[in-house]
Amino acid sequence: MGDPNFKLRVDASIELYPNHYVDPDGAAIWRVVSDFFGWEAGGNVSESENLMKEEAAA
């Protein structure tokens, strides 16, 4: 992309909790970080991950 005239458009929005997006890779990494720091919130990630999988299967 060395062309200085290259234009890239991006659409983005902010999703607030609890309606945020959770992907399996991100959930796994968050679980590792939460376990490392001893945060109890790490357990909630698997619930979100399971919900996401259920919604994807529907």
Side-chain angles (χ1 to χ4, degrees), residues 3-27:
D3 180 3
N5 297 315
F6 181 82
K7 294 182 180 181
L8 178 64
R9 293 173 42 169
V10 178
D11 291 327
S13 63
I14 297 173
E15 298 294 331
L16 302 176
Y17 180 84
N19 298 323
H20 64 286
Y21 173 77
V22 177
D23 65 51
D25 292 335

Side-chain angles (χ1 to χ4, degrees), residues 22-52:
V22 177
D23 65 51
D25 292 335
I29 295 296
W30 183 249
R31 199 166 22 258
V32 169
V33 171
S34 297
D35 289 346
F36 178 81
F37 287 107
W39 298 336
E40 293 181 22
N44 295 336
V45 173
S46 62
E47 293 174 19
S48 298
E49 186 177 3
N50 288 335
L51 179 60
M52 183 201 62

